Amino acid sequence: MHVPDGFFNVPVSAGAGVVAAAGVAVCLRRARQELDDRTAPMAGLVAAFIFAVQMLNFPVAAGTSGHLLGGALAAILVGPATAVLCVAVVLLVQGFFFADGGLTALGVNITLMAIVTSLVGWAVFRLVSRSAPRSRTAVIVGSFLAALVSVPTSALVFTALFWLGGTAPIELSSVAAAMGGVHVLIGLGEALITALTVSSVLAVRPDLVYGARGLAAPLVLRTADGEVAVEKPATEPATPPAPKRGPRPILLGGGLVALLLAGVVSFYASSAPDGLNKVAADKGFNAYERPHDLENGPLAGYGVSGVEDERLSGGLAGIAGVGITVLVGGAIFFTVRRRRQDKAVA
Amino acid sequence: MTPGSDSGTAVSLQVSGLAYAYPDGTQALFGVDLTITRGERVALLGPNGAGKTTLVMHLNGILTAGHGTVEVAGLPVRADTLREIRRRVGLVFQDPDDQLFMPTVREDVAFGPANLGVRGADLERRVTHALDRVGMLEAANRPPHHLSFGQRRRVAVATVLAMEPEILVLDEPSSNLDPASRRELAQILKNLDVTVLMVTHDLPYALELCERSLILSQGVIAADGATRSLLADDELLAAHRLELPYGFAPSAHPR
Amino acid sequence: MSAGHHHALYLPGDTPVHRLPPQCKLIAAMGFAVAVVATPREAWGAFGLDVLLLAVVAAVGRIPPALVLRRMVVEVPFVLFAVAIPFIGLGERIEVLGVSLSLPGLWAAWNILAKATLGVVASILLAATTEPRMMLLGAERLRLPALLVQIAMFMLRYMSVILDQARRMRIARESRGFVARDIRQAPVLARSAGALFIRSYERGERVHLAMLSRGYTGQMPVIDDLPASWRQWSAAAVLPALALMTAVVARSLA
Ligand SMILES: Nc1ncnc2c1ncn2[C@@H]1O[C@H](COP(=O)(O)OP(=O)(O)OP(=O)(O)O)[C@@H](O)[C@H]1O
Ligand SMILES: [Mg+2]
């Protein structure tokens, strides 16, 4: 997904650069408000974590694998502003130190992979957690949907940029189909890993999950004399007030996802499977090999997965993936809505 | 009971009724009381999870007491005194990787004094002096993560020495060191003219360096006395999961 | 160990390229990339000249070509993509060895390949001749937001520590017979990721505490300052200036 130099024309690269700079500037201010003097070390360590986690390859479907983008995950774990900073720094480091992603494409890369994924992920997460009762399940479901939506959305924004100033004469629909199709699949993998990761952090240190603030129990202090003092937790409790909106946001979110998927599916069906697979082979299942090879050198980790055997399987897997996504998404929305209604009845 | 606490010696560190719970709800300290006078070298002993690290973090206001007070040379640890407290109390962390966060050793050692406002040649002198004292001067321009563990530990000590603290607090300084590094570090600590509080599981090390020891167990001070007599009390040691190395007899080691 | 995960990117040396202040080199690399992107794709000669410019920089900086080539593997995904464009591209078609290819597609493929490659090589040379720490100091001098630079600093410092933890977890997984074959193994990977996050976050907290205990109040003290002289700036400007001139000439000829 790292866009190189020369892929977009100068105006689009520059425009994205402005968007990225503005976004990062806003996030710098917000992160400072949230973390004050902890910002630099905390965001730095989380950035290192994102860098490491992007090397986690997960198998998507027959013979193909994707790696985590991590924007939605970061947003839920440390908050959207810090997440944008972390992923942006990862991209800057990858660009300047690892020559991964063009220097003139930094704006595009930061916009797509840091800003869009984190913010869309966070928006979806909030939508779900605001409309569902506050609980671990809501956080986990929210994480799943956040990651699920964030990845194809980023791919769609890529397509929009391509329409504005791509340098390759490819039909927009095939780009959209290829990008969208593959990224729905990647989004599914990302969603699964994100939800599971958030749930495993919730199990051990719920206080660390930004998106679950307020779920932690109040602090109780016992002193030697046996007196019991109840104190406020050192980390600020959740700010969001209990939502009173009913299932509408859920339906809205569901509609959004369904629309997205529908669009992607139709694009997918309309395009020639041949080119699509090639795009898929590149754009989706890219860059990092498993961390195995990391010891051998900084760039040994950057490899490519095979192309040939993916040609067909990629296409089929895409279609299967869309189907699965619709089913899973539908099931989740349905159950969440049911729970909600049950609550309302009770 | 406490050696050195005879008439009129200034109190260096005073902790009373200190209780603390971590944000996740784990309570680590349940009311700690202790007093250390100027120039003493005291060992803080105790099993894993006793709360030693937690206690140490209170001494320079990194963690703020949930209950109770901490005073450093008469100055209470509070938000408005933090700057002065942190100048007076130097803390060497358990894991040198936590402590060495700057890109090079030199910058790391300079970080503390620079925060105190030291600049230019003065800063350079402090850095050189501190690194020289721990024998790491030649590593000044290397990144910390390229150093061996023992070297990192020594640099970590230097980062604190460069701040010229009145009280040096070390969290398990001898862990993961080979015998030679362990001895060299002991030599460095013995030659310092400051109050030392040293957390350790290494009982012979405590005996070698500190006249007095405290045993922290389950978040309270369970014993306070001369290291030699504490280590000779088998029952006490067993009660707090402390063990001398096989064949080690405290009485056979004259100071 | 992971010693020098990013260290290995840098090739120590004492050449004029190494000695240039980092802020000059950063600007030069950036300027070069912009000039390349602005070069019209039909100007074969211009790209040839750009290659020559980079070759001169590599030679002066004593960077072996093999090293540059080895690191160019980061490009491979996009090379594959570029190769695909002529097949799926629109517009006029031509026959090459019995295969029908799109002519604009061929041009686009060439355009991306040439520009991406030049950009990649430029940043490889930058990383190979500039220590990571210097790069950060340069970024600071260029007035990048200090907080952003500090985040990058902590990231670079702890990257190897965290990758090392990740590697140990993987070894622990695999030594107990775990193989990531398909999506059913995701929970195991996710648990590792969760554990890694907790460790990273807690280390962040401890690092913050270590900073506080040495008097940190939210501002990083300025310990090193790297002034760049007018001469150094002009030396660094040679590369982007020539590339820009090439681009301008090529544009006016096109
Ligand atoms: N950041 C933290 N969050 C929650 N609980 C913690 C944290 N750090 C320590 N604890 C808990 O507080 C208790 C005391 O821990 P502490 O690290 O102070 O022990 P210690 O005496 O230093 O142990 P060791 O000898 O193993 O270093 C333990 O039960 C530990 O699990
Ligand atoms: Mg400890």
Side-chain angles (χ1 to χ4, degrees):
Chain A
M1 187 101 166
H2 289 59
V3 176
D5 289 317
F7 193 84
F8 289 108
N9 63 19
V10 177
V12 163
S13 305
V18 172
V19 171
V24 168
V26 171
C27 291
L28 278 170
R29 292 192 50 166
R30 296 223 36 186
R32 250 213 194 286
Q33 281 164 11
E34 273 164 24
L35 289 172
D36 57 72
D37 65 342
R38 296 194 308 158
T39 313
M42 295 314 300
L45 264 293
V46 174
F49 161 75
I50 299 284
F51 186 87
V53 115
Q54 285 192 349
M55 295 194 171
L56 263 188
N57 265 36
F58 53 86
V60 174
T64 60
S65 65
H67 74 83
L68 227 52
L69 292 183
L73 176 65
I76 293 156
L77 289 178
V78 296
T82 314
V84 169
L85 291 187
C86 293
V87 184
V89 166
V90 168
L91 291 168
L92 282 168
V93 166
Q94 282 168 340
F96 279 103
F97 292 83
F98 295 91
D100 193 8
L103 296 185
T104 59
L106 270 173
V108 173
N109 282 324
I110 289 178
T111 305
L112 288 178
M113 281 187 276
I115 299 179
V116 171
T117 54
S118 305
L119 295 193
V120 168
W122 181 248
V124 172
F125 178 82
R126 281 294 294 246
L127 207 66
V128 174
S129 55
R130 260 167 182 269
S131 43
R134 282 195 84 73
S135 69
R136 279 193 50 177
T137 323
V139 171
I140 293 167
V141 170
S143 312
F144 185 89
L145 294 176
L148 184 69
V149 176
S150 72
V151 177
T153 307
S154 165
L156 285 189
V157 176
F158 173 92
T159 311
L161 290 182
F162 185 84
W163 174 68
L164 282 174
T167 56
I170 309 174
E171 216 176 324
L172 194 66
S173 62
S174 16
V175 175
M179 286 297 289
V182 165
H183 282 85
V184 164
L185 259 188
I186 299 217
L188 199 62
E190 175 118 2
L192 196 64
I193 302 250
T194 300
L196 289 168
T197 303
V198 169
S199 115
S200 81
V201 177
L202 268 184
V204 191
R205 292 288 310 266
D207 55 312
L208 293 196
V209 180
Y210 183 92
R213 291 165 310 162
L215 283 187
L219 209 57
V220 177
L221 255 186
R222 293 184 303 282
T223 59
D225 341 316
E227 99 194 52
V228 179
V230 184
E231 302 254 323
K232 272 198 167 183
T235 43
E236 320 80 88
T239 37
K244 278 180 274 169
R245 289 227 205 122
R248 259 181 59 202
I250 288 255
L251 292 179
L252 237 138
L256 199 89
V257 176
L259 215 77
L260 210 103
L261 294 179
V264 165
V265 173
S266 60
F267 274 137
Y268 207 87
S270 72
S271 71
D274 187 6
L276 190 149
N277 286 322
K278 290 272 187 161
V279 182
D282 160 62
K283 302 236 34 81
F285 312 118
N286 84 33
Y288 310 87
E289 263 275 29
R290 3 172 108 209
H292 274 93
D293 314 321
L294 222 97
E295 299 91 278
N296 306 340
L299 293 177
Y302 288 66
V304 205
S305 33
V307 189
E308 280 308 316
D309 35 331
E310 285 158 21
R311 289 180 58 104
L312 227 152
S313 63
L316 293 177
I319 293 164
V322 173
I324 293 168
T325 313
V326 172
L327 284 179
V328 172
I332 289 167
F333 281 126
F334 189 69
T335 40
V336 173
R337 227 187 105 196
R338 276 282 293 276
R339 283 177 59 106
R340 180 79 205 168
Q341 281 168 348
D342 290 350
K343 267 239 152 159
V345 170
Chain B
M1 190 67 197
T2 49
S5 68
D6 32 25
S7 61
T9 327
V11 172
S12 210
L13 195 64
Q14 171 107 45
V15 178
S16 41
L18 181 63
Y20 181 80
Y22 280 99
D24 70 345
T26 318
Q27 183 160 353
L29 299 178
F30 292 82
V32 172
D33 298 286
L34 64 90
T35 306
I36 295 175
T37 49
R38 179 153 296 159
E40 265 191 298
R41 275 206 302 270
V42 179
L44 182 62
L45 314 175
N48 287 134
K52 304 182 295 292
T53 301
T54 312
L55 170 59
V56 155
M57 302 270 223
H58 280 85
L59 301 183
N60 69 351
I62 286 177
L63 296 179
T64 36
H67 190 92
T69 58
V70 179
E71 277 179 27
V72 178
L75 189 67
V77 176
R78 277 197 322 249
D80 55 326
T81 58
L82 276 189
R83 202 179 153 83
E84 178 60 18
I85 293 287
R86 286 179 183 153
R87 197 190 60 73
R88 291 185 189 179
V89 182
L91 194 52
V92 180
F93 281 66
Q94 199 160 354
D95 180 351
D97 266 332
D98 295 342
Q99 184 137 18
L100 307 178
F101 44 79
M102 294 291 278
T104 63
V105 166
R106 193 174 59 81
E107 285 169 276
D108 218 305
V109 177
F111 181 86
N115 277 328
L116 299 179
V118 183
R119 289 286 184 279
D122 237 12
L123 184 62
E124 201 55 45
R125 186 189 53 75
R126 280 220 203 182
V127 171
T128 313
H129 185 62
L131 281 175
D132 195 33
R133 260 163 117 177
V134 300
M136 290 298 296
L137 196 51
E138 70 286 357
N141 286 312
R142 298 181 61 190
H145 53 283
H146 289 178
L147 302 177
S148 78
F149 191 90
Q151 290 172 324
R152 271 180 276 168
R153 173 64 53 67
R154 280 195 275 169
V155 174
V157 173
T159 62
V160 170
L161 291 183
M163 297 182 72
E164 301 177 351
E166 287 164 28
I167 306 174
L168 186 62
V169 181
L170 303 109
D171 200 350
E172 300 192 20
S174 66
S175 63
N176 282 320
L177 292 187
D178 63 23
S181 314
R182 188 169 165 276
R183 185 174 40 72
E184 284 162 13
L185 186 65
Q187 212 50 54
I188 294 168
L189 295 179
K190 273 185 180 165
N191 289 336
L192 294 177
D193 181 27
V194 294
T195 310
V196 172
L197 179 66
M198 183 176 90
V199 172
T200 188
H201 291 288
D202 185 344
L203 303 185
Y205 210 53
L207 184 63
E208 182 187 348
L209 281 168
C210 308
E211 298 234 327
R212 177 181 162 205
S213 289
L214 307 167
I215 295 179
L216 184 71
S217 191
Q218 302 188 349
V220 292
I221 298 287
D224 179 352
T227 309
R228 186 178 304 276
S229 57
L230 290 189
L231 295 196
D233 188 342
D234 292 339
E235 229 167 277
L236 179 72
L237 295 188
H240 301 294
R241 297 174 52 84
L242 295 170
E243 281 178 23
L244 288 165
Y246 179 73
F248 183 89
S251 52
H253 287 256
R255 282 182 59 101
Chain C
M1 248 204 42
S2 66
H5 167 78
H6 56 275
H7 168 76
L9 290 172
Y10 170 67
L11 199 70
D14 190 28
T15 70
V17 184
H18 283 82
R19 280 196 300 268
L20 271 183
Q23 60 268 39
C24 307
K25 281 188 271 187
L26 277 167
I27 290 288
M30 203 74 190
F32 178 80
V34 170
V36 166
V37 171
T39 306
R41 60 191 187 186
E42 292 81 7
W44 302 81
F47 293 116
L49 250 164
D50 288 337
V51 171
L52 208 68
L53 287 174
L54 288 182
V56 170
V57 173
V60 174
R62 304 252 171 92
I63 306 298
L67 180 142
V68 177
L69 288 176
R70 206 156 6 97
R71 289 191 188 162
M72 277 167 65
V73 292
V74 279
E75 270 210 272
V76 170
F78 259 91
V79 171
L80 292 181
F81 177 68
V83 167
I85 299 174
F87 293 92
I88 60 175
L90 303 170
E92 186 187 337
R93 295 240 142 201
I94 56 168
E95 287 281 311
V96 179
L97 302 173
V99 185
S100 160
L101 298 176
S102 142
L103 191 60
L106 278 171
W107 273 115
W110 153 252
N111 181 53
I112 291 176
L113 269 184
K115 292 176 179 177
T117 307
L118 285 166
V120 164
V121 173
S123 45
I124 289 172
L125 292 179
L126 173 68
T129 57
T130 317
E131 260 183 284
R133 176 176 68 103
M134 283 301 181
M135 199 98 87
L136 295 174
L137 285 177
E140 209 158 55
R141 283 289 298 199
L142 290 176
R143 297 287 150 92
L144 237 72
L147 191 53
L148 210 60
V149 178
Q150 286 166 29
I151 295 173
M153 182 193 92
F154 283 104
M155 175 186 162
L156 286 169
R157 165 67 181 87
Y158 287 103
M159 202 160 76
S160 54
V161 174
I162 288 178
L163 286 174
D164 215 44
Q165 282 178 342
R167 194 176 53 88
R168 283 200 299 270
M169 285 182 189
R170 183 178 54 74
I171 290 172
R173 279 199 307 269
E174 284 173 7
S175 65
R176 280 177 270 164
F178 174 82
V179 187
R181 216 174 288 103
D182 60 45
I183 206 75
R184 275 167 302 175
Q185 271 85 35
V188 180
L189 291 183
R191 260 200 303 281
S192 298
L196 200 61
F197 170 74
I198 294 175
R199 290 191 199 183
S200 308
Y201 195 94
E202 287 178 345
R203 187 179 293 278
E205 287 179 328
R206 292 199 305 272
V207 169
H208 175 242
L209 298 182
M211 294 169 75
L212 287 183
S213 75
R214 281 195 275 151
Y216 178 70
T217 51
Q219 294 284 309
M220 281 307 225
V222 179
I223 295 165
D224 282 295
D225 207 14
L226 275 180
S229 71
W230 184 83
R231 293 177 60 136
Q232 287 168 319
W233 273 115
S234 22
V238 170
L239 175 77
L242 287 180
L244 199 66
M245 253 150 60
T246 313
V248 169
V249 170
R251 266 183 183 263
S252 58
L253 291 183

